[in-house]
Amino acid sequence: MLNIGLLATEAGGAAAEGFEAGWLTRHVWLIPLLPVVSFVVTLFFGKRFKGGGAWFGVSMMGLALLLSTALGVEWMGRGHVGIEEGQPPAVAATYRGTASGDQEHQVQQVIEEAERTGEPKASIPGHGEEGEEHALPAGRFSLPAAESGGEGPAGEPHAVEVRPYHEAEAGWFHIGPIEVGFGFHIDGFAVIMLFTVSFISFLVHLFSTEYLRDDRRRTHYFASLGLFTAGMLLMVSSSTSLQLLLGWEIMGLCSFLLIGHWWEESKNSDAALKAFFTTRTGDVGLLVGLSILFFGAGQTFNIAKINQQAITGEIPRSWLVAAAVALFIACIGKSAQFPLHTWLPDAMAGPTPASALIHAATMVVAGVYMVGRFYPVFFSAFRIANNALGFNIIALIGGITIIIAGLLAFVQQDIKKVLAYSTVSQLGYMVMGLGVGAWTGAIFHLFTHAFFKALLFMGAGSISHACWHSFDMRDFGGLRKHMPKTFVTFMIGTVALMGLPPLAGFWSKDEILLGAWTNGYRGTFFLVGCVGAALTCAYMTRVVYKTFWGEYKGPQTPDAIEHASHAAHGHHDAHDDAVENQAPALVGASAYQEGAKASADPGVKAAAHGTVQSERGPHDDEASHTADDHGDSAHAGAPLGGYPHESPWPITVPLIVLAVMSVVAGIINAPFFGLQFTHFSAIEPIVAAGVPEPSFSGVVAVISTLGALAGLGLAVAWWRGMRFGLDGLTRRNGLAGAGYRLLEQKYYLDALYERVIVRGIKGPMASAAYWFNQNVLDGVAHGVSATARRAATFTYDVVDQEVVDGTVNSVGAGATGLGRGFKHMASGKVQQYVAYLIGGAAAGALVIFAITFNRS
Amino acid sequence: MYLNEFLLLSAVLFSCGVYGVLARRNGVLVLMSIELILNAVNINLVAFGAFHGQVDGQVFALFTVAIAAAEVGVGLAIVLLIYRNTRSIDLDQVAQMKG
Amino acid sequence: MLAAFQAPHLDYAALGPEIVLTATLVVAICVDLALDERSKVWVTRITGLGILLATLPIFYLADQGISGEARVMFGGAYVTDTFALVLKALLLISGFVVFLLSFDYIGEGDYYEGEFAYMVLSSLLGMVVMASARDLVTIFVALELLSIPGYLLAGWRKRDQRSNEASLKYYLLGVLASALMLYGMSLIYGFTGSLVLTDIGAKLGGPAGDKPIVAVAIFLVIVGFAFKISAVPFHLWAPDTYEGAPTPVTAFLSVASKTAGFIALLELTFVAFLGRGDVTRPIFWVLAALTMTIGNLTALRQSNVVRLLAYSSVAQAGFILVPFAVATRDEAQEYIGSAVVYLLLYAGMNLGAFAVVIAVARRTRSGAIASYRGLFSYAPGLATTFSVFLLSLAGIPPLAGWYAKFAVIRSLFVDFSVAGAALGIVVAVNTAIAAAYYLQLIREMFFRPAEEGVDVRPRPHPAPLVAALGITLTLTVVLGFIPGVVARLGDLSTIFTG
Amino acid sequence: MAIIDGNVNLDNAVLSVATFAPLAGAAVLGLLPKREEFLVKAWALGTSVFTLLCGLYLVLRFDYGNAGAPQFERSHSWIDVINSNYHVFMDGLSLPLFLLSMVITTLCIIYSWDHWPEPRNPKAFLMLMLILETGMLGSFIAEDLILFFVFFELVLLPMYFMIGVWGGEQRQYASLKFFLFTLFGSALMILSFLALYFKSGGAGLEPTFDIPMLIERGMSDTLVRSTELLIFGGLFMGFAIKVPMFPFHTWLPDAHTQAPTVGSVILAAVLLKLGTYGFIRIAIPILPAAAKEYAPLIAVLATIGIIYGALGCLAQKDMKRLIAFSSVAHMGFVMLGIATLTDYGINAAVFGMVAHGLITGMLFFVAGSVKERFHTLEIRRLGGLLVQAPKLGWILGFCSMASLGLPGLAGFWGEFPAILSTFNPAEGLSVALFRTCMVIASIGTVLAAGYLLWLFQRTAFGTPKEEWATTEVHDVERPEWLAWAPLLAGIVLFGILPGIVFDITDPAVNERVTAAVVAQGK
């Protein structure tokens, strides 16, 4: 009756005839399980471990990384094995379609064939214990590269080797007539995501061991990291949409926990709330969309089935459109697309490694992943390959996001916020890529972006670690001399992000642009992409220049340190009062000063705890709980002599590894490297859906690179002092000034909205802004909660307490009033009683007489 | 037989009794008015008995007479009791309890 | 000229309870005369015993009667059928509980014990006779036999002006009501030529009953008993009398006397008047609706517990009238059953409520609702018991009262009609209103702290009172869970209709 | 006519024993001396544990392969004049709620061990709790309308006293409101029961109160439609007030806010379910045609309830009142599921009931413990709970997350499937209307996140307010752990393995509820 033996499912009966799934493919559940174990163990027993359970998490993630790498290798190898070993695949046909009209027919054939032969029913429905495996036979599909008119140079069709998927499902529960399964769907997309996520997560874990060494809630932090990773891994490997939702929401929870990790300050908890609330707003779309697809696809949560039916047109197109729009709303929320992007920069309130994780490989790419996963739905719904309108909502939102986020990045002083907007912008690329049909480009960009964005965030963390936990670029400068490793790796990340060849970003960005080019978006989204690339180069130049060039401008003496971190002190002390009876006096200004003196080696960190630790032992667990630190603000005493220092190995090693990846990740799909990425991109539903697969185009590459270089050149020139007569433009020219302010105020998305709603005053932007807010941005977290609270107060005070309650109460009052009236009847005088008696009798008699008299 | 005349007489007596009960403040007079009502009933019963040629009506009337005597006896006792306690037989004075 | 006197057939078994009661009455008077002041308590004991003894013939008869036929005497004027048996048992047991209540109440006050005992006994005798009376004369005699001692009992505390007032009001209105009733009876006799209910019933169904004046006559008879059951607008005596009379007497009046009134109404309605159901149904409909509603609403505003219970019992009468308001001849048994079920359950809970009032008054010497404040904190047992009765009166399951309410509501559906449905709504609304004032009392006892200066020491209660509480409490709780017993009794109570 | 089931075996007996054991325990408790407090507490705990063991025995003996069929059935003549029987059985619909009631009562007694509301009177308090338990248990197994009614109402009194005697400042108002609302509803309900009874007779059939028999007789086919609608209307009022549905919900926030902690827990965890259970067990299967007519109304009211409850929450300044209002929203999801009249919807509803019982019960426990420590529940005055009592704070966070429907925790399985099912209501219902409701209801989930997180942020995050800065606050204590651990475990367990509930309820929903609806459509 119970499905407790859930995960112990083994492929019941024979696997598909075409090939045999490798051991890891069949046991892929191990990968998400490891971080779950890490989470549970760390949460409940972490405090008993040395280091608060951090190293347990690191090792679990290391293991997960190993497994997922092995899985990747197995996956890449398997397809070849299947075919080379000569087991004739049940369906191994090569379609060469030339006319796009034929294609749909062909695809249907493929699917039908596949269904007939490739789907062994390994389980009897209703027996939850048994698993169900689907594995589509391998086949070779060849599809026309560009459907949309053969304009591009990539019109030549080329053969793509399709990787079938492997699916293992166990019964989870029954509801209604269907059995909902819990299982894993392994195809190239899932494999590459598993790898990326475990890779980044492992490095983030490692990085955090140092970065949050003395954090008070280190254990919680690592537990959350574990759960977060588990959520993402579960999501990318899930076979059902329900499970996808599960992973999706777990991430939402963990982002809440991580962003709000230092919840003592309301700024942080506000940001956490905002993140959760905004993404949750988008989730409405997910709930609705999944429901539509569930019924549309004949009551199934199975993603593969939904995709198949979306391709074959079994789901009515109107349903598909509704579902696609709904799902895309979820993507807007989760992947921080315009106009729900505002939570993401705020989310920088969390610890930097967590930001790296959120922004590089998990949370924010979940939306993109989801769209990619359900791509056949979107593809059919919006007719992406063959769109008469010339645009669709996905590409549009993506494009807008690229530009507006890119512009915002220019006016940020906080290095993390620049990176945050950069993330938003890059996510815009991915979304736009999906919108223009460059599926491979989008997920490839997702893959490469993970490395260099993680690198940049961790680099920023490293810088901040060295500079008294400031993230303000005005405090930096000239750091290339002090932090060579960080500098070099950061530079690599920057160049990768800029999309300059031959680093990773180039290859993936190029594919997206190529898609836009070949799929008929040459005049619009291709252009947007190039402008975006130029913007990226420019603002990253700004960051690099402000951080690494020039002179160091940060505080240099302990006095200044104390001053700088004074604000942070106030509440720390309050904490210590409450926490575990440790003497708060020990942690204070004197602690910092003494610590600074006592610490002989600038490389050994955490001198700030000198006093406390010397009393209780430097590695005492208790001490690290007490000692007041919140990572970011607590290591303020570290740099001696007034200058920043290079970070220790747990920080630099991840940087170096990521730098290497940022260099090589792009190459794997380079034409000269044999397009190895097709192992992961040429997956069954995508190919079947007829998503075009353009081949490399030199023209596009040159144009995009030129665009990027233009941006870079201008920016470098600017920072070298060439002002082009633009200096002070914002002061001189009203329009430019307004533009600047617009950026500075983040398009007034947050600020104006709050001002208008909360204060109920019509601001200077008056009706236009009000209209904008009311109609366009109703989802923005603050606005909704303010309106809701207002409405709630009204409903509660007026409707509930007055009307509904009032009615009830007045009925009661009426009853007692009547009672009072009747009470007067009994006056106490006996003859009055007699009168009532006689009167009643007489009246009654008369009435009765009259009535009966009439009748008779 | 003129039944209607008897009935009319009875009705008039009945009405007089009712009037007395309602209008008189004196307890004893109220008791007497009640006697009037009961006698109206008796006239009815006897008249109907005769009309039907039965003794039933007269038997009932006898019962009524007897019981009326008992009732009035009890009534007088109560009025006396009140008189002893309040030195008044004005029924309007007897109104301590109300509501 | 006398026809040869033929002694009527006397069924001594059927007259058993009456004979035992009469004998007890005689013995009590004699004993009272013989004993000196200190031994007067024996009179009460003998009376109590007599009442218990009087139930024995009922059990014997029940054993015979359930399968056998009704025993008819005096040409149909006196009938012992299952209906009579059930209600006689009810009356006797109620009477016995009243005795338990008054045992110490009368003993502790400076009252006349012997007289009290046989006054109650005579009244009880009248009631028992009423249960068997099936002609107008017998009904009238029974009514007066049960009423006249009642007038005297109400004024039992003769030095107390309130008691005098209670007595006077009860008396005056009672006499007037019986006068109206008699007038109505005389008219009915005139138009049907018979005093026996079955004959009247037969005639009223025919052309003789078609005259308007007959309808008026029926109404007047009903008014006479409407007074007895304190139906609005003939209820005004009840609160004052209940308040002024000694509490055990009040209990007696509100339960036994009211039951007797309903017995007469049941007999009259279902045997004699249903031929003119078109007349009785509207009368009872209006009476029921008015009685429930006004009784309940007025009760909301009371500040004295006894008055509150008085109005509550007015309202309860309204509920009992519901089956009358929709009664038809075809399904007569359903309606009689509902009313009987209500009477049976009502007796237990209402007597219990008065028993608690007596017990509380022993401590606080007050009947004000305010004096019940915080009762739970110093007398949790009494408070809990009282709430059981009150909630039962409110009809809250699983206390017995729910089935009473259920039974009358159910009767509305037997022959579904619009009028019935309308009355159903009235009943539903009234149930909620009634709950409000019962809860008000509970609130005082449970939710509020006791006032300063209240004697909060535990105090023992006299055994008879405890016994009375025990009996009523047990019945109220147990019958709530197994209402089938009462339902069965109601179902068995068939009135002999010739 | 009495149906006497000759097959009296141990299992059947245990079902009745489990139901009446608390009542018997309460009776014995009444005889124990009030001063022997330990004895009193131990006896009460022993009784509830015994009951729970009986329940567990039944859970073990339950035939899961046949969850839709009546099990442990027992029928004994009760009030034979009206053909009402003591007919009880357990099936997949009853089992989860039956067990939930037992568990919650036992945990409440454990929690109460050291937390007695003022005026302190453990004996009376525990007696009420045990009486309450019998009422709850009986309601979930009664298969006779009259029997159901008696148990349904049996619950009313103890709760009334619990609120009235041990409640907060406005306890008198709240308890009276609770009582009168419910009483009004049940008055209409009993009218409908009677109408069903009389209408079920005729054509050689004896009228009956027996629920399965009424379902079998297909009342929807024999009744005139207008009559049927009236009867359903009565049932609707009775159950909707208990649920409570908008706009009959106003008693709920008051009752919850004023009730003592344990009272709130029982009220939220079990009592509200009596209403929804009534819909599923009685109203819909007996009168499926009328249910279809009413379904749009129910759906709309449920949707309004979801939004309205959430808005109500956002306006609250008091933690407990906020949680109370959240019940309105959550029960809205349950009712929305029911309104679809589909397998999905009703399964979701049953799951929602269980989940809401666990989660909101837990939230009320936490609120009670916060109140005990800070003597206030005013959100403005609280803050930094995570600093002063981190475990308590995180439990609050956990429950908030569960309550807002986070997948992987129990709340999700009541919420998402309900939304899902609304997309595709039963045949014959307005698709457009239901889909609109679906979208609005899903917005409700966002609002839920809003108010719960806002609550959590304001109370648990940040630093303690000045007035509590020096207060010694103890973290979760042993009785609290003992009482809470099963609930917390349940929330996770049901969240991960929803099949535990769905697999039991699904056959029952199919066979006992939707079968009637589907048959009606043909």
Side-chain angles (χ1 to χ4, degrees), chain A residues 487-503:
Chain A
F487 167 63
V488 171
T489 51
F490 198 90
M491 282 310 292
I492 293 174
T494 306
V495 177
L497 175 61
M498 287 171 170
L500 296 176
L503 297 189

Side-chain angles (χ1 to χ4, degrees), chain C residues 274-429:
Chain C
L274 262 190
R276 291 304 306 273
D278 60 323
V279 175
T280 57
R281 275 192 292 270
I283 294 174
F284 283 120
W285 199 100
V286 173
L287 277 182
L290 276 181
T291 308
M292 272 186 274
T293 313
I294 293 183
N296 275 327
L297 288 176
T298 322
L300 276 178
R301 304 290 309 166
Q302 298 306 317
S303 57
N304 181 298
V305 173
V306 180
R307 282 188 87 80
L308 186 137
L309 287 178
Y311 279 110
S312 129
S313 72
V314 168
Q316 300 285 342
F319 287 114
I320 310 177
L321 282 173
V322 167
F324 293 86
V326 286
T328 58
R329 210 165 221 177
D330 298 337
E331 298 285 345
Q333 195 45 48
E334 294 278 353
Y335 300 103
I336 297 171
S338 319
V340 169
V341 163
Y342 206 111
L343 287 171
L344 290 170
L345 294 169
Y346 167 76
M349 56 205 187
N350 217 38
L351 281 175
F354 279 108
V356 178
V357 171
I358 291 169
V360 173
R362 281 170 45 85
R363 303 184 72 115
T364 61
R365 300 271 153 227
S366 165
I369 290 179
S371 70
Y372 282 71
R373 197 161 284 173
L375 189 67
F376 180 63
S377 59
Y378 59 92
L382 272 186
T384 309
T385 315
F386 200 18
S387 14
V388 167
F389 293 128
L390 292 175
L391 292 165
S392 178
L393 283 168
I396 311 293
L399 302 167
W402 80 267
Y403 191 74
K405 290 271 191 311
F406 175 81
V408 299
I409 294 176
R410 176 174 170 270
S411 69
L412 289 173
F413 287 87
V414 175
D415 299 285
F416 191 78
S417 63
V418 178
L423 197 57
I425 292 168
V426 177
V427 169
V429 170

Side-chain angles (χ1 to χ4, degrees), chain D residues 220-238:
Chain D
S220 273
D221 301 329
T222 53
L223 285 174
V224 182
R225 184 53 55 88
S226 58
T227 317
E228 191 189 348
L229 290 180
L230 264 180
I231 297 176
F232 194 93
L235 298 176
F236 172 79
M237 285 298 290

